[in-house]
Structures are given as structure tokens and as C-alpha cells.
Amino acid sequence: DTEVTQTPKHLVMGMTNKKSLKCEQHMGHRAMYWYKQKAKKPPELMFVYSYEKLSINESVPSRFSPECPNSSLLNLHLHALQPEDSALYLCASSQEQPLTDTQYFGPGTRLTVL
Amino acid sequence: AQKITQTQPGMFVQEKEAVTLDCTYDTSDQSYGLFWYKQPSSGEMIFLIYQGSYDEQNATEGRYSLNFQKARKSANLVISASQLGDSAMYFCAMRVRGPAILTGGGNKLTFGTGTQLKVEL
């Protein structure tokens, strides 16, 4: 059973809306990740937080804004999205151990941009 | 650069039979980790099994085993006694030890394109 939770499970928004995706983990992990996944494709890394600091930004457009309020929480703020941003957004966490570090994923948020 | 190749876009297997999902990788690094994830239609990515590059024995987790052939750079997933619930997309992934490991900053996974497995009665 996953210990990474994501809310909401589904989200429909217009291009002018502002919304947020939330992720929470209860495993004491120190790294957290956001991925974007299109249908029948592998996940694409967007952001990585390590010890609550942004460590990797994979050249994501500024309409996506991550936030890590504490070591257990990760948010993704959405603003002025485009229809092509419709996808499954996955959150993951890991312990930050060399090599054996395993990422555990949440159930995802299915986002539709109209 | 690292690369993961999964050459089987789709696979069918009869219930209770064993199935092998292929994965080859390419890296010049000596230290790396290999992972398999299962993604049902619900969307959640479920971690199945891990193999380290220095592990001498093949990893096993219940009905899952990883056939690790380092010289051939392959890490195939074997599912024994397939069940209907095994129908899902399966992704092979690799993480390489790099500079970020020294300074912290999370770990990047390179994913393959996935194999869609369907288990039939």
C-alpha cells in the first residue's frame, strides 16, 4: 500500500484558472518529486526537492510552480495552463540514499485543461 | 547519457503461466540501480523490484524476479504464475550514481517506454 497520497484525484480547469495539486508522504523521506505523464508514455520528471530545497527543475514552464512547505508536503501550483498540459501528474518520494534509493509514487492526479 | 530500451510494446500471457518482460540498458557508469514498476490503468506507479549493479544475486520479490545479466546489460523481469491482476503497463528504470549524489539533490530515473501486459484466461 502506498504511503504517498495525492489530492485531488481528478481536476478539470480552464486556462485562466489557478489551482494546486497536493502531495503528502508519511515515510520520513527527504526527497520529493513531481512527474508529468501522458497516456501510454513513461513519466517525465518535472521537479525534485531535496531536504525541502528545489534541487532539479527540468526546464518546466513557469505556469507550473512547485512548493515544499515541509519535508512531508509537496504542492504544485498551476496557473494559465494550456490544453496540452492535460496529463497524469505523479508525485513520488525517496529516502535520498545513494543507488538503493527507491522512489515511491502516489496514485496521481488526472488533470484536464479545457 | 543513460538509456533504457524495452522492445516489447505489448505482451499476452495465459493465466498461471510465466512471462518475461525484456529490458536492456546503456550506461558507462559502473554504479547504477535498476528498477521495475507496474502501472495499472488506475495510474499509480507501483514499485516491484530493485537490482544494484554490484549485486551478485538476482533480485526476487514474491512472484517477481529480475534476470540480471550485467555483461549483456539486460535486466529482464520474470513474473511467475501470472494472474489477471498482473495486467498493466510495466516500466523498467535506471538510476546512475552521479555528481548529484555527492551534493544531494534527489535521484533521477531514466525510464523505458514500457510494456503493456495482458493476462488472459
Side-chain angles (χ1 to χ4, degrees):
Chain A
D1 291 340
T2 182
E3 295 186 56
V4 180
T5 59
Q6 289 187 244
T7 55
K9 290 187 178 180
H10 300 273
L11 179 62
V12 179
M13 60 186 291
M15 290 190 284
T16 59
N17 292 156
K18 288 184 179 181
K19 296 287 185 182
S20 297
L21 308 185
K22 297 184 183 300
C23 174
E24 188 169 9
Q25 57 92 7
H26 303 281
M27 294 180 280
H29 288 171
R30 305 316 300 258
M32 297 187 76
Y33 309 76
W34 279 117
Y35 287 87
K36 174 184 178 180
Q37 187 181 24
K38 299 289 251 182
K40 300 194 182 300
K41 298 289 187 182
E44 300 173 13
L45 183 65
M46 301 174 72
F47 303 103
V48 181
Y49 274 83
S50 175
Y51 291 89
E52 301 168 42
K53 293 184 179 179
L54 183 64
S55 60
I56 298 175
N57 177 340
E58 293 286 271
S59 302
V60 178
S62 60
R63 58 185 184 269
F64 295 91
S65 175
E67 177 195 20
C68 189
N70 60 55
S71 60
S72 300
L73 293 173
L74 185 66
N75 298 322
L76 186 63
H77 302 298
L78 314 173
H79 173 57
L81 294 193
Q82 304 297 310
E84 59 265 29
D85 297 322
S86 298
L88 178 67
Y89 288 83
L90 292 163
C91 173
S93 69
S94 70
Q95 282 184 324
E96 272 278 46
Q97 299 279 346
L99 280 184
T100 59
D101 202 37
T102 298
Q103 292 185 26
Y104 293 91
F105 287 78
T109 294
R110 290 193 185 275
L111 174 67
T112 302
V113 182
L114 301 177
Chain B
Q2 296 79 44
K3 185 177 181 181
I4 292 281
T5 302
Q6 294 181 253
T7 58
Q8 306 154 312
M11 289 279 287
F12 289 89
V13 65
Q14 295 272 322
E15 193 181 22
K16 301 180 185 178
E17 297 289 311
V19 63
T20 297
L21 306 184
D22 294 341
C23 173
T24 58
Y25 60 92
D26 188 22
T27 180
S28 56
D29 202 286
Q30 298 301 308
S31 298
Y32 51 87
L34 296 158
F35 303 81
W36 277 94
Y37 286 88
K38 170 185 178 182
Q39 188 174 39
S41 57
S42 60
E44 182 177 355
M45 293 279 284
I46 302 168
F47 165 69
L48 295 178
I49 196 166
Y50 165 81
Q51 179 83 42
S53 58
Y54 293 120
D55 294 340
E56 295 186 351
Q57 293 196 336
N58 288 340
T60 60
E61 288 286 349
R63 294 187 298 112
Y64 304 107
S65 59
L66 200 153
N67 184 359
F68 181 47
Q69 298 189 39
K70 194 171 182 177
R72 298 180 62 183
K73 292 189 174 180
S74 72
N76 298 338
L77 177 70
V78 180
I79 305 174
S80 63
S82 297
Q83 302 172 356
L84 294 177
D86 294 333
S87 295
M89 180 73 91
Y90 289 80
F91 289 100
C92 180
M94 175 173 63
R95 189 189 62 248
V96 176
R97 180 187 179 107
I101 295 294
L102 301 177
T103 59
N107 296 291
K108 292 180 66 171
L109 288 176
T110 299
F111 285 91
T113 52
T115 296
Q116 182 72 50
L117 176 67
K118 293 191 177 180
V119 181
E120 301 173 314
L121 290 170

